[in-house]
Amino acid sequence: MVKKILTSVMLVAALTGCQKKVLVLYYSQTGTTKAVAEVFQEQLGADIEAIDITEPYTGDFNQTIMRCQQERSSGYVPTLNPLTCDLSKYDVIYLGYPIWFGTYAPPVQALLNSVDLSGKTIVPFCTFGSGGLEVGVADLKKALPTTTILDGYGVRTARVASAPQEVSQFLISSGLKEGEIETLPDFSEEHPVTEAEAAVFHAACDSYQFPLGNPVAVATRPIANGTEYRFQVEAMNAKTIIYVVETP
């Protein structure tokens, strides 16, 4: 029997000055992003605070999507409750959010509109159903041109239980936390997806609540317990990266 495990880790370049004042700041509607934020807080020993809005999103998924669509159409941005922390005291902010409509959720936009993050370093992290890490980070870079925005960490909602191990790997690989991780070989040269490789992708991904798209290219590498695939996936006129580990 072959077990396929979906992973979603984006590693960033090393950040020096790890003794700087650090805050984990996040928005979470359902508690999923909160769970990941608490993993970061525990592993970093950082301060932590939630982003709250005056009129919280309530109801089920469809109701939230409907309200968000209406707000996007009208250009409305939610109003935030004041933060209790003083952002000026922090050098590095780990900014967490769910991905809605392909990018960070509207309460994060409200935050960006209301605070000055110039000169700080932002490490994004996000949760999602069908991707959005890269687009969310790119949008942050556009919105905050005077802020250092690193690449970040993203995890699918269905894999949040894997966050502690993945966050530790992310932090160590990024130079944000001391420790050692296994040195892996480089991925092979990327090539068009074969029928067999597409079958691996669909076996791992088709059970997710949201369509993840179609794999168009892939690179592979051997790992201790099997093979890791790095798929380039096309979905809704955008490309994302999805990692799949195949183990015997």
Side-chain angles (χ1 to χ4, degrees):
M1 179 179 180
V2 178
K3 179 173 66 173
K4 287 95 177 177
I5 304 173
L6 184 67
T7 63
S8 180
V9 176
M10 181 67 69
L11 302 182
V12 301
L15 172 68
T16 59
C18 294
Q19 299 303 314
K20 293 181 178 180
K21 188 72 172 175
V22 178
L23 173 69
V24 177
L25 183 62
Y26 69 94
Y27 171 72
S28 183
Q29 183 202 7
T30 64
T32 301
T33 307
K34 177 183 178 183
V36 179
E38 290 173 345
V39 171
F40 273 96
Q41 189 275 331
E42 180 179 358
Q43 296 199 20
L44 293 165
D47 295 339
I48 188 169
E49 180 161 354
I51 299 168
D52 292 319
I53 56 177
T54 57
E55 297 181 17
Y57 293 91
T58 58
D60 61 19
F61 173 80
N62 289 330
Q63 290 171 319
T64 298
I65 291 299
M66 184 177 298
R67 172 180 161 183
C68 191
Q69 285 177 323
Q70 293 171 344
E71 291 176 347
R72 285 164 57 89
S73 296
S74 66
Y76 174 81
V77 177
T79 302
L80 296 187
N81 289 323
L83 296 174
T84 61
C85 66
D86 181 356
L87 292 183
S88 67
K89 296 181 179 180
Y90 296 95
D91 305 291
V92 181
I93 298 175
Y94 288 74
L95 182 60
Y97 45 84
I99 295 293
W100 292 2
F101 292 92
T103 190
Y104 46 78
V108 173
Q109 183 61 59
L111 175 79
L112 304 185
N113 292 349
S114 60
V115 300
D116 182 9
L117 298 174
S118 299
K120 299 187 183 300
T121 296
I122 304 294
V123 184
F125 64 93
C126 62
T127 60
F128 46 76
S130 57
L133 170 63
E134 295 86 359
V135 175
V137 171
D139 287 346
L140 283 175
K141 291 178 178 180
K142 291 177 183 177
L144 299 172
T146 60
T147 303
T148 300
I149 311 292
L150 301 184
D151 292 339
Y153 167 79
V155 62
R156 285 182 167 76
T157 301
R159 283 189 50 79
V160 167
S162 302
Q165 180 180 357
E166 292 185 358
V167 167
S168 180
Q169 181 181 11
F170 168 78
L171 292 172
I172 294 170
S173 299
S174 305
L176 303 171
K177 169 184 167 182
E178 293 185 357
E180 296 182 359
I181 58 175
E182 178 186 0
T183 301
L184 296 175
D186 293 335
F187 279 97
S188 68
E189 187 173 343
E190 198 169 81
H191 59 269
V193 173
T194 66
E195 185 175 337
E197 290 164 339
V200 170
F201 175 87
H202 290 296
C205 301
D206 284 359
S207 62
Y208 281 87
Q209 178 182 1
F210 307 99
L212 299 182
N214 296 310
V216 294
V218 65
T220 64
R221 65 182 174 188
I223 57 176
N225 59 339
T227 302
E228 183 176 16
Y229 297 78
R230 187 185 66 203
F231 288 100
Q232 290 278 355
V233 180
E234 289 186 347
M236 299 178 64
N237 298 319
K239 287 187 177 181
T240 60
I241 298 175
I242 292 179
Y243 294 83
V244 172
V245 173
E246 184 180 45
T247 60

